[in-house]
Amino acid sequence: MEASKSLREHGLRIGELEPGPAGTIGDVAGVSVGHSTVSLTGVTAVLPGPADRLWAEPAAAGVAVLNGAGELTGSVQIAEWGLIETPVYLTATMSVGRVYDGAVAAAMAAEPLIGVEAVVIPVVGECDDSWLNDPREMPLQSEDVEKALADAAASSSVSQGAVGAGAGMVCFGWKGGIGSSSRLARGGHTVGVLVLANYGDGPDLRIDGVPVGREIRPAREHRDPAGSCIAVVATDAPLGSAQLTRVARRAGLGLARTGSVAHHGSGEIFVAFSTSARVPRGEPAPPALADSELDPIFLATVDATEEAVLNALWAAETTSGRDGRLFERLPHEPVLELLAHHGRLRD
Amino acid sequence: MEASKSLREHGLRIGELEPGPAGTIGDVAGVSVGHSTVSLTGVTAVLPGPADRLWAEPAAAGVAVLNGAGELTGSVQIAEWGLIETPVYLTATMSVGRVYDGAVAAAMAAEPLIGVEAVVIPVVGECDDSWLNDPREMPLQSEDVEKALADAAASSSVSQGAVGAGAGMVCFGWKGGIGSSSRLARGGHTVGVLVLANYGDGPDLRIDGVPVGREIRPAREHRDPAGSCIAVVATDAPLGSAQLTRVARRAGLGLARTGSVAHHGSGEIFVAFSTSARVPRGEPAPPALADSELDPIFLATVDATEEAVLNALWAAETTSGRDGRLFERLPHEPVLELLAHHGRLRD
Amino acid sequence: MEASKSLREHGLRIGELEPGPAGTIGDVAGVSVGHSTVSLTGVTAVLPGPADRLWAEPAAAGVAVLNGAGELTGSVQIAEWGLIETPVYLTATMSVGRVYDGAVAAAMAAEPLIGVEAVVIPVVGECDDSWLNDPREMPLQSEDVEKALADAAASSSVSQGAVGAGAGMVCFGWKGGIGSSSRLARGGHTVGVLVLANYGDGPDLRIDGVPVGREIRPAREHRDPAGSCIAVVATDAPLGSAQLTRVARRAGLGLARTGSVAHHGSGEIFVAFSTSARVPRGEPAPPALADSELDPIFLATVDATEEAVLNALWAAETTSGRDGRLFERLPHEPVLELLAHHGRLRD
Amino acid sequence: MEASKSLREHGLRIGELEPGPAGTIGDVAGVSVGHSTVSLTGVTAVLPGPADRLWAEPAAAGVAVLNGAGELTGSVQIAEWGLIETPVYLTATMSVGRVYDGAVAAAMAAEPLIGVEAVVIPVVGECDDSWLNDPREMPLQSEDVEKALADAAASSSVSQGAVGAGAGMVCFGWKGGIGSSSRLARGGHTVGVLVLANYGDGPDLRIDGVPVGREIRPAREHRDPAGSCIAVVATDAPLGSAQLTRVARRAGLGLARTGSVAHHGSGEIFVAFSTSARVPRGEPAPPALADSELDPIFLATVDATEEAVLNALWAAETTSGRDGRLFERLPHEPVLELLAHHGRLRD
């Protein structure tokens, strides 16, 4: 049993659908992900396509809120226009301003018409990493946005775990962070999900329905469930904004399967976009699928979200932070044994 | 092994919280439930308290929609005023008008000031029972509302399964219908849930995380997942309407655990009310809990919703209906064996 | 000065846009309106096209709520699916059930596949006519729906004032009811609005910005502003549901210009549909305008809504009802004099 | 006729209610406003009370969106929790990040528990001032937030016009900016409104219903109506978050009376808070008014919003900016003559 294998490589199957080749949001053609990690905090960028075309050809998008104790800038505009004009950025709560500022700078650098023909509102989501990271120190700078974008441009795969915005996150009492997964939906479209997982009350953790949280606990229990989870859903299915809003809402069902009850202090905010429904400024939205074809996308979204959270837990490393706090990574061997005991690991 | 035992009596435990004495929504003091069954359709009434006080002292309430392919009359007013002025009625889609009409008549009979000082908008939710019931026949009459209310007044327990509005419902390819459950939330409040369960794609069914739907299938598969699920959440916690809206939203997380992906054609609509937050007309809302005390209510709602669905499946009887269709009840013995095999039945 | 002239014929111009030939919602090709008036109450049907095609080819639609003390059945489904499958019906609050029931019957009569392939949720809005009509008497029957549909089929024009659902309505202390208007939007599309006007505090009434309510009062003041206003917006512009939701929201701005503050007890609920964006069941939505072309539609909607309310007031006749109550029609001559004094009547 | 007189001092009366002593949002006890102006852009802070108590005792709040082509950070959290934990900041679109960053720094400086017990999400709204200000230059720094707060602490009155966030704004083709007004609502509560007015198509401008925009035009017409208007509503009435959401929604009706149709490219976003409904962290919300007492607050909000916009136009000075553009202030004398001609100026 090697620690570097993924849960799927160990035989876990969340749902019946197959993932894409990489098993990450990067399986949606055109999507790239980059990180800048600064000490115990950071920024992550998820791009629907090349950054220099996003403002001229925004991507159809939708947003959904399961519990709104959080922030996703741009969400008001997404709700009205159904578009994103920048990458989706993720960071720590009190760094949203710096990332917004860096995102504006990056957008202006990529597109000379910004500020001339119209302005731009970037999309920046957050979770609170202050269990590990001291948020008063604020080491992240607006320039880290460019680093994350450069990383996205240079990376052919999606790094997961305690990286970028995920550096200081905590999930079900274990070290959390960035996780991703994908599914090949019936009908031929790909759905990818990336989560910033920073939520959950330890005993509630379920893995593929197995009550792992009841059986396996960290040495030092942490029972403050107020955290958040941002999910980014990408698809190559040509969907309109109302459809993508509905897709985004399904991310919450994937979280529920992992044990989320969407605590009062938590920000479960989800954004979905389509890489094939780009809407050049001033032009009509392109044709979209029939609503009756959404069910396969919904199922893929729920499954991929569930697995993305598990992947975040699986990829994260034990991390120590402020005030002598230490968050262990989910212990692989006992979990695999428990899953095997419940018949969940296929050969 | 007796068929008449509940899943809980067989040892299944959904979550760690205890249910109330009856294990139904009736555990919330003051709440009563009545049914009128007419052939393969019907009406179910859920009352927050005596019917003749509801208009004069509406109950604080909230509504949430996970997927809105359905109807809950009164939902616009609940969203604005945060109140329900009548019982919550459940019925078949095309009978909503008759139940609304009967509900108005019942409200006028109970309260002479209706139509004099103000009017009333009843709360009527629906699912589509037309897999079994021929909806063009419409045997249900508005007078059945009074029968359901009389049944509620006469009943000390909550009937479940293929009864009232649940008579013709289908769930994960099995016979569905009315199910209910309750939880004693940490902090001392009781949460009760009643569902009208008519949704789900068979292979997706999970029971306490065990993938029952992958293993056990009806003899004659039915793979049209377009159905609905209305959930009614009752609590004796003194909550305001914004809080109850948030509670209602959690019902969807309970459905997710059973395998719901909230299909395009489905109406997942949830209404929550408080029996201890009654708001006499023209008066201020009574004091409510702090938001920081909501997490135990959220957890209880998710757990009770999950179990309510399972109870609907467990209580329903095999039913034959239109066009020679037959929907089996979920087969108890194989399911219990599977649950036992996964270590889910406690002694 | 003849009483039978419209305000426009007297020279009033609301905004700069021209109305269509009839100056009603009927100017949107395909739209028809019918009424059944029963004593002091009634039902009004607004059809986007032939009734027998509506279920097979629903019309793209959106709904918006300014103040939700009211009911529009189907609104949950419109918010999710962006479609209407039946005419929009208007009636009195406590008659919604009967109209829903009649609407289901009418839909089944028109379309044999209803109840076989799927069910139908009709769209029924209401205002409270109980200042004039005794709502406990309930003379309206579900059969009146067929009468309203027959009237729609037979009528080449749109009757306004104290007719159909408008029979018992009150507006700014004067007799209210059904009003309609239309505009030719820049860009070539037509927008029509029909309102059921039953709202407003007398002194707040403004006509084209002239504070008529401060100057002209009914002999017997009526200062209970809790009423409602349903607006139905029709357009031949090919719009998607998200766009129509935004169009519907603009109806509230038209009401604001007449003096509405959307009182607590009022149901300002608006539904918009497109006659040229029909979506055959299971098929994708047709191409829509670019969002950047919406402004002319918005302006036309605001102007037409404002004028529709004025037309309701202008067309209504003095009406006496329950408990010796009498509501005068807005007195034409003093109003025209005041408008002329303020320079509002063009030659 | 002196230019320094307000419209009210010239005899204009918007509605029948009296304003408070200063006629600005500062009439709501505890509310203060400060600005930092940097060239043609800036930041404005609106405080519900002393900055160092806001995080420990957030103010009940609600948010409403009429058209969402804009940003108000914190709006997701306000919608969920019904609270604001920081002042409301206003700035230019692309400066939101810097103001957010400065607001976090200011909050940490004022409250040592931020970052220790929990984090903070500031409330930052924006309009696009790029008709005058070159947004690519970004002279505003996060430190300007402290300057605006210091100005608020030092100011006993509310500066209006081309100041703070209003420095570069445009409204109905004239110079726009910050405007404010107040009303003494029936029932004894005060309502104050501050707007950042940057919207409107010139010919649509109405002043107290008089079609000023049809009659008086700037020398150089500017017909790009895509702008925004943020409104901040403050009241000393003890209201809960759901009530404040409803109050916020009424700001749009005030804008409608001035001629707004809420253009596609516009961000009409409104936030309302109560100075007397402070909610110490972890405690229940205090008692609130009955919903039936909201109508006077609604009326006061609509009237005050309308007048706040007019005050912004009246107070602004002719301003020249980028690319040789010049926006005149609304010409006082012709407007007063027109208003007098329509009988709108009382003695």
Side-chain angles (χ1 to χ4, degrees), chain C residues 182-223:
Chain C
S182 70
R183 287 294 181 280
L184 306 176
R186 283 189 292 268
H189 298 290
T190 299
V191 173
V193 175
L194 180 141
V195 297
L196 178 61
N198 188 51
Y199 71 98
D201 190 22
D204 292 340
L205 175 62
R206 290 152 171 80
I207 296 185
D208 195 23
V210 175
V212 171
R214 284 187 210 159
E215 308 284 337
I216 302 172
R217 299 282 182 89
R220 200 169 46 168
E221 281 259 35
H222 168 82
R223 292 292 300 273

Coordinates of all heavy atoms in Angstrom, one line a residue, chain C residues 182-223:
Chain C
S182 N -49.3 48.8 -24.3 CA -48.3 48.2 -25.1 C -47.3 49.3 -25.5 O -47.6 50.5 -25.4 CB -48.9 47.5 -26.3 OG -49.4 48.4 -27.2
R183 N -46.1 48.9 -26.0 CA -45.1 49.8 -26.5 C -44.4 49.1 -27.6 O -44.1 47.9 -27.6 CB -44.1 50.1 -25.4 CG -44.6 51.1 -24.4 CD -44.9 52.5 -24.9 NE -45.3 53.4 -23.9 CZ -46.6 53.5 -23.4 NH1 -47.5 52.6 -23.8 NH2 -46.9 54.4 -22.5
L184 N -44.0 49.9 -28.6 CA -43.1 49.4 -29.6 C -41.7 49.8 -29.2 O -41.4 51.0 -29.2 CB -43.5 50.1 -31.0 CG -45.0 49.9 -31.4 CD1 -45.2 50.7 -32.7 CD2 -45.3 48.4 -31.6
A185 N -41.0 48.8 -28.8 CA -39.6 49.1 -28.2 C -38.7 49.4 -29.4 O -38.8 48.9 -30.5 CB -39.2 47.9 -27.5
R186 N -37.7 50.2 -29.1 CA -36.6 50.4 -30.0 C -36.0 49.1 -30.3 O -35.7 48.3 -29.4 CB -35.6 51.4 -29.5 CG -36.0 52.9 -29.5 CD -34.9 53.8 -29.1 NE -34.5 53.7 -27.7 CZ -35.0 54.4 -26.7 NH1 -35.9 55.3 -27.0 NH2 -34.6 54.2 -25.5
G187 N -35.8 48.9 -31.6 CA -35.2 47.6 -32.0 C -36.3 46.7 -32.7 O -36.0 45.7 -33.3
G188 N -37.6 47.2 -32.6 CA -38.6 46.5 -33.4 C -39.5 45.5 -32.7 O -40.4 45.0 -33.3
H189 N -39.3 45.3 -31.4 CA -40.1 44.3 -30.7 C -41.3 45.1 -30.0 O -41.2 46.3 -29.7 CB -39.3 43.5 -29.7 CG -38.2 42.8 -30.4 ND1 -38.5 41.7 -31.2 CD2 -36.9 42.9 -30.4 CE1 -37.4 41.2 -31.7 NE2 -36.4 41.9 -31.2
T190 N -42.3 44.3 -29.8 CA -43.5 44.8 -29.1 C -43.5 44.3 -27.7 O -43.2 43.1 -27.4 CB -44.8 44.5 -29.8 OG1 -44.7 45.0 -31.1 CG2 -46.0 45.0 -29.1
V191 N -43.9 45.1 -26.7 CA -44.0 44.7 -25.3 C -45.5 45.1 -24.9 O -45.9 46.2 -25.2 CB -43.0 45.4 -24.4 CG1 -43.4 45.1 -22.9 CG2 -41.6 45.0 -24.7
G192 N -46.2 44.1 -24.4 CA -47.5 44.4 -23.9 C -47.6 44.0 -22.4 O -47.0 43.1 -21.9
V193 N -48.4 44.8 -21.7 CA -48.6 44.5 -20.2 C -50.0 44.5 -19.9 O -50.8 45.3 -20.4 CB -47.8 45.6 -19.4 CG1 -48.1 45.4 -17.9 CG2 -46.3 45.6 -19.7
L194 N -50.4 43.6 -19.1 CA -51.8 43.6 -18.5 C -51.6 43.5 -17.0 O -50.8 42.7 -16.5 CB -52.6 42.4 -19.0 CG -54.0 42.3 -18.5 CD1 -55.0 41.8 -19.6 CD2 -54.1 41.3 -17.3
V195 N -52.3 44.4 -16.3 CA -52.2 44.4 -14.8 C -53.6 44.1 -14.2 O -54.6 44.4 -14.8 CB -51.7 45.7 -14.2 CG1 -50.3 46.0 -14.7 CG2 -52.6 46.9 -14.6
L196 N -53.5 43.5 -13.1 CA -54.7 43.4 -12.2 C -54.4 44.3 -11.0 O -53.6 44.0 -10.1 CB -54.9 41.9 -11.7 CG -56.0 41.7 -10.7 CD1 -57.4 42.0 -11.4 CD2 -56.1 40.2 -10.3
A197 N -54.9 45.5 -11.1 CA -54.5 46.6 -10.2 C -55.4 46.7 -9.0 O -56.6 47.0 -9.1 CB -54.5 47.9 -11.0
N198 N -54.8 46.5 -7.8 CA -55.6 46.4 -6.6 C -54.8 46.9 -5.4 O -54.7 46.2 -4.4 CB -56.0 44.9 -6.4 CG -57.0 44.7 -5.3 OD1 -58.0 45.4 -5.2 ND2 -56.7 43.8 -4.4
Y199 N -54.1 48.0 -5.6 CA -53.1 48.4 -4.6 C -53.1 49.9 -4.5 O -53.8 50.6 -5.2 CB -51.7 48.0 -5.1 CG -51.2 48.8 -6.3 CD1 -50.4 49.8 -6.1 CD2 -51.7 48.5 -7.6 CE1 -49.9 50.6 -7.2 CE2 -51.2 49.2 -8.6 CZ -50.4 50.3 -8.5 OH -50.0 51.0 -9.5
G200 N -52.3 50.4 -3.5 CA -52.0 51.8 -3.5 C -52.7 52.6 -2.4 O -53.9 52.4 -2.2
D201 N -52.0 53.5 -1.8 CA -52.6 54.4 -0.8 C -53.0 55.7 -1.6 O -52.1 56.3 -2.2 CB -51.5 54.7 0.2 CG -52.1 55.5 1.4 OD1 -53.3 55.4 1.6 OD2 -51.3 56.1 2.1
G202 N -54.2 56.1 -1.5 CA -54.8 57.2 -2.3 C -53.9 58.4 -2.5 O -53.6 58.8 -3.6
P203 N -53.4 59.0 -1.4 CA -52.6 60.2 -1.6 C -51.3 60.0 -2.4 O -50.8 61.0 -2.9 CB -52.3 60.6 -0.2 CG -53.3 60.0 0.7 CD -53.7 58.7 0.0
D204 N -50.9 58.8 -2.6 CA -49.7 58.5 -3.3 C -49.8 58.5 -4.8 O -48.8 58.5 -5.5 CB -49.1 57.2 -2.9 CG -48.6 57.2 -1.4 OD1 -48.3 58.3 -0.9 OD2 -48.4 56.1 -0.8
L205 N -51.1 58.5 -5.3 CA -51.3 58.3 -6.7 C -50.6 59.4 -7.6 O -50.8 60.6 -7.3 CB -52.8 58.3 -7.1 CG -53.1 58.2 -8.6 CD1 -52.6 56.9 -9.2 CD2 -54.6 58.3 -8.7
R206 N -49.8 59.0 -8.5 CA -49.2 59.9 -9.5 C -49.7 59.5 -10.9 O -49.7 58.3 -11.2 CB -47.7 59.8 -9.4 CG -47.1 60.4 -8.2 CD -45.8 59.7 -7.9 NE -45.0 60.3 -6.8 CZ -45.2 60.1 -5.5 NH1 -46.2 59.4 -5.1 NH2 -44.5 60.7 -4.6
I207 N -50.0 60.5 -11.7 CA -50.2 60.2 -13.1 C -49.2 60.9 -13.9 O -49.2 62.2 -13.9 CB -51.7 60.5 -13.5 CG1 -52.7 59.7 -12.7 CG2 -51.9 60.4 -15.0 CD1 -54.1 59.9 -13.1
D208 N -48.4 60.2 -14.6 CA -47.2 60.8 -15.4 C -46.5 61.8 -14.5 O -46.1 62.9 -14.9 CB -47.8 61.5 -16.6 CG -46.6 61.8 -17.6 OD1 -45.6 61.2 -17.5 OD2 -46.8 62.7 -18.4
G209 N -46.3 61.5 -13.2 CA -45.6 62.3 -12.3 C -46.4 63.4 -11.6 O -45.9 64.1 -10.7
V210 N -47.6 63.6 -12.1 CA -48.4 64.6 -11.5 C -49.1 64.1 -10.2 O -49.7 63.0 -10.2 CB -49.5 65.1 -12.5 CG1 -50.5 66.1 -11.8 CG2 -48.9 65.7 -13.7
P211 N -49.0 64.8 -9.1 CA -49.4 64.2 -7.8 C -51.0 64.3 -7.7 O -51.5 65.0 -6.8 CB -48.7 65.1 -6.8 CG -48.5 66.4 -7.4 CD -48.3 66.1 -8.9
V212 N -51.6 63.5 -8.5 CA -53.1 63.5 -8.5 C -53.7 63.1 -7.2 O -54.7 63.7 -6.7 CB -53.6 62.5 -9.6 CG1 -55.1 62.3 -9.6 CG2 -53.1 63.0 -11.0
G213 N -53.0 62.2 -6.5 CA -53.6 61.7 -5.2 C -53.6 62.8 -4.1 O -54.4 62.7 -3.2
R214 N -52.7 63.8 -4.3 CA -52.7 64.8 -3.3 C -53.9 65.8 -3.5 O -54.3 66.5 -2.6 CB -51.4 65.7 -3.4 CG -50.2 65.0 -2.8 CD -49.1 66.1 -2.9 NE -47.8 65.4 -3.0 CZ -46.7 66.0 -3.5 NH1 -46.7 67.3 -3.9 NH2 -45.6 65.3 -3.6
E215 N -54.3 65.9 -4.8 CA -55.3 66.9 -5.1 C -56.7 66.4 -5.2 O -57.6 67.2 -5.0 CB -54.9 67.5 -6.5 CG -53.4 67.9 -6.6 CD -53.2 69.3 -5.9 OE1 -54.2 70.0 -5.8 OE2 -52.0 69.5 -5.6
I216 N -56.8 65.2 -5.6 CA -58.2 64.7 -5.9 C -58.4 63.4 -5.1 O -57.7 62.4 -5.2 CB -58.3 64.3 -7.4 CG1 -58.0 65.6 -8.3 CG2 -59.7 63.8 -7.7 CD1 -58.0 65.3 -9.8
R217 N -59.5 63.5 -4.3 CA -59.7 62.4 -3.3 C -61.2 61.9 -3.5 O -62.1 62.7 -3.8 CB -59.6 62.8 -1.9 CG -58.2 63.3 -1.5 CD -57.2 62.2 -1.3 NE -55.9 62.6 -0.9 CZ -55.5 62.9 0.3 NH1 -56.4 62.6 1.3 NH2 -54.3 63.3 0.6
P218 N -61.4 60.6 -3.3 CA -62.8 60.1 -3.3 C -63.6 60.7 -2.2 O -63.0 61.2 -1.1 CB -62.6 58.6 -3.1 CG -61.3 58.4 -2.7 CD -60.4 59.6 -3.0
A219 N -64.9 60.8 -2.4 CA -65.8 61.3 -1.3 C -65.6 60.6 0.0 O -65.5 61.2 1.1 CB -67.2 61.3 -1.8
R220 N -65.5 59.3 -0.1 CA -65.4 58.5 1.1 C -64.0 57.9 1.0 O -63.7 56.9 0.3 CB -66.4 57.4 1.2 CG -66.6 56.9 2.6 CD -67.9 56.0 2.7 NE -68.0 55.1 1.6 CZ -68.8 54.1 1.5 NH1 -69.7 53.9 2.5 NH2 -68.9 53.3 0.5
E221 N -63.1 58.4 1.8 CA -61.7 57.9 1.8 C -61.6 56.5 2.2 O -62.3 56.0 3.2 CB -60.9 58.8 2.8 CG -60.5 60.1 2.2 CD -59.1 60.1 1.6 OE1 -58.6 59.1 1.1 OE2 -58.5 61.2 1.7
H222 N -60.7 55.8 1.6 CA -60.4 54.4 2.0 C -58.9 54.3 2.1 O -58.2 54.5 1.1 CB -60.9 53.5 0.8 CG -60.4 52.1 0.9 ND1 -61.0 51.2 1.7 CD2 -59.4 51.5 0.3 CE1 -60.4 50.0 1.6 NE2 -59.4 50.2 0.7
R223 N -58.4 54.2 3.3 CA -56.9 54.3 3.4 C -56.3 53.0 3.9 O -55.3 52.9 4.6 CB -56.6 55.4 4.4 CG -56.9 56.8 3.9 CD -56.0 57.2 2.8 NE -54.6 57.2 3.1 CZ -53.9 58.2 3.7 NH1 -54.5 59.3 3.9 NH2 -52.6 58.1 4.0

